Amino acid sequence: MVQILSRFFSSFIPLTTNCSFFFQIIRVTVCHEAISPSNRSQPSLSLSRQVYSPRRVAVHAHGSRTAEERAERVRGSDRSKRPSAMAASNGGDAPGRFDVIVVGAGIMGSCAAYAASSRGARALLLERFDLLHHRGSSHGESRTIRATYPQAHYPPMVRLSRRLWEEAQADAGYRVLTPTPHLDLGPRDDPELRAAIGNGGATVVAGGAEPSPWPWAGVFRVPDGWAVASSELGGVMKATKAVAMFQALAVKMGAVVRDRMEVVDIAKRGEESILVRTASGEEFHGAKCIVTVGAWTSKLVRSVVGMDLPVQPVHTLICYWKVKPGHESELTTEAGFPTFASYGDPYIYSTPSMEFPGLIKIAKHGGPPCDPDSRDWSTGAADLAEPVARWIDAVMPGHVDTAGGPVIRQSCMYSMTPDEDYVIDFLGGEFGKDVVVGAGFSGHGFKMGPAVGRILAEMAMDGESRSAVEAGVELEPLRIGRFVDNPKGNLSNPGDRGL
Ligand SMILES: Cc1cc2nc3c(=O)[nH]c(=O)nc-3n(C[C@H](O)[C@H](O)[C@H](O)COP(=O)(O)OP(=O)(O)OC[C@H]3O[C@@H](n4cnc5c(N)ncnc54)[C@H](O)[C@@H]3O)c2cc1C
C-alpha cells in the first residue's frame, strides 16, 4: 500500500427509509430528459409522490435559475460574499455539464452539494442507491455532536459545524438538532479521556480533585478510579431527517439530484473537464468532482487511480435498550439528559431517550471488517451487544434493563482509517486539484457534515478552504499523504487510536 501511495504521490500535484419525508419537503419537477439544464428555465410541474419515478425524474428546484441568475445570486449571497469563479463557467448550461459533480449522497455528499449550490455552482449529486437508503453510514434516527475530542484538530471543526447546522436549520425552517449537555466518563488516567476533556473544555464533575454536584449522579454508578466530565456542546441530530434536509436545501439552491446512479468511472477529459460515467452508461461532465462514497471509497478510488486508500468498511450495530419502569422520563432529552461517551475498552456512546419512548440508545464503537457489497447483516450481534450489556450492568444498573438484550438493533457501517482521522484531500495525480475526496469518517463524522461539506465544496471550487482557515480548522492531519511514510497515518504508537 505504501509503495502504491508513494508511486502515486510522485505524480502528486501539490497536491425506515424516510423517502416520503424527503419528497414531502421538496417539490419535485418533471424532467423526462433527465438533467437537461435547458429544462431548468421551463415552467416546472409539481409532482405528487404517487407519480414519482426515480429513473425518469431529475429532482431540482422549483423555479430553478438560469446561469445569469445563479451568478447574480453568488454576487448577492450573504452566506459567502466571495464571487464564485464557477458560477457561470463550464460551458454555460450545456446538457450534462456541471460546475461540481458530487458522487455519493450520504451526509457528506448532501452537505457538499448544498454548499456548492449555495455558492452558485451548478451542482449535480449522484447516488448509487435510493436516496435515504439504509446501506451506508448516514441513515437512522440519531447521531451525537460533542466537542470533547482527544485530537486537538477536531474541536474547531465541531464549532464550525455547529454554526453551520444552525444556519442550515434556519434556511430549512425546521430543526434536526436537539441540543443537550454531554458527559465523558472513563478511567481517570485514560490519556484519551484526559485529552478529550482538555480539548473540549469540559468540567470534571466526579472523580477529580474538586468534585461538584452533578444532576445525573443518581443515574450512573461511577466505578472507582473513574472520572466524569460535563460539557455544553452536546446534542442529537436526527440522522435521516438531516440528510433529507441537506438534499432538499441543495435542490432549493438549484442542485440536481439523481439516485440509482452508480458511478463506475471518473476520468480527466482535457484541461477543464472531469467525465463521470455511471453503470447505466450515462455520462456527466464537471469542472470539478467531489467523491464522498463512504464505505465504497477504497473500491472506487482504486478503480479510478489505482491507489489503495486505507479506508476499511466496518459493520456495526446500534442498540436500543429498555429503560427500567419509572425512569422513562428521567433519561429523555426533554429532561435534559446528556449524550455520553465512555472511554476505555469497550468505548461506549449513547443518546438520550428520544426516538423510541422508553428506550435509550447505548452502543459500542467499532465492529468487524465487512465488504459493503456483500454484507452479513447478522454478524457481530454477540460481540457488539454483550459488551454493552456488561457495561450497562456495571455503570447504569438502576436505570437500564439488559435482561432481554437490546430491544432494537440496527446495522450500520463505519469507514475506518487506521488512525480514525478523516481523509479530506485532493485526489492528485492527473486530477490535480480537480477531484476532492472526503472519506474515512471512522464512526464520528456525522456531526461534521455541514463543515466537511463546506470545506470540500470550497476546495473543489477555490482550490482551498477559506472557511477552514477562518475557523482555525487544521486540514493537514487529514491529508492522504500521512499514509505514505506511516501506514498507520497519524498514530505514532501502535497502541494509539483516535476516537
Ligand atoms: C452506528 C453509527 C453511529 C454513529 N454515530 C455517530 C455519532 O454519534 N456522531 C457522529 O458524528 N458520527 C457518527 N457516526 C458516523 C457518521 O454517521 C458517518 O461518519 C457519516 O454518516 C459518513 O457519511 P458519508 O457521507 O461519508 O457516508 P455514507 O453515508 O455511507 O454515504 C456515502 C454514499 O455514497 C454512495 N455511493 C457509494 N458508492 C457510490 C458510487 N459508486 N456511485 C454513487 N454513489 C455511491 C452510497 O450509496 C452512500 O449513500 C455513526 C455511524 C454509525 C454507522
Side-chain angles (χ1 to χ4, degrees), residues 69-89:
E69 287 167 334
R70 285 197 301 275
E72 180 53 40
R73 185 176 187 287
V74 172
R75 284 193 287 273
S77 165
D78 56 1
R79 285 268 178 277
S80 167
K81 306 277 186 213
R82 205 174 186 194
S84 165
M86 314 200 44
S89 68

Side-chain angles (χ1 to χ4, degrees), residues 104 108 127-128 133 137-138 143-144 263 412 441 445-447:
M108 302 307 173
E127 166 55 45
R128 173 181 179 168
H133 65 86
S137 303
S138 299
R143 296 289 188 275
T144 61
V263 169
C412 193
F441 293 100
F446 201 94
K447 66 179 78 61

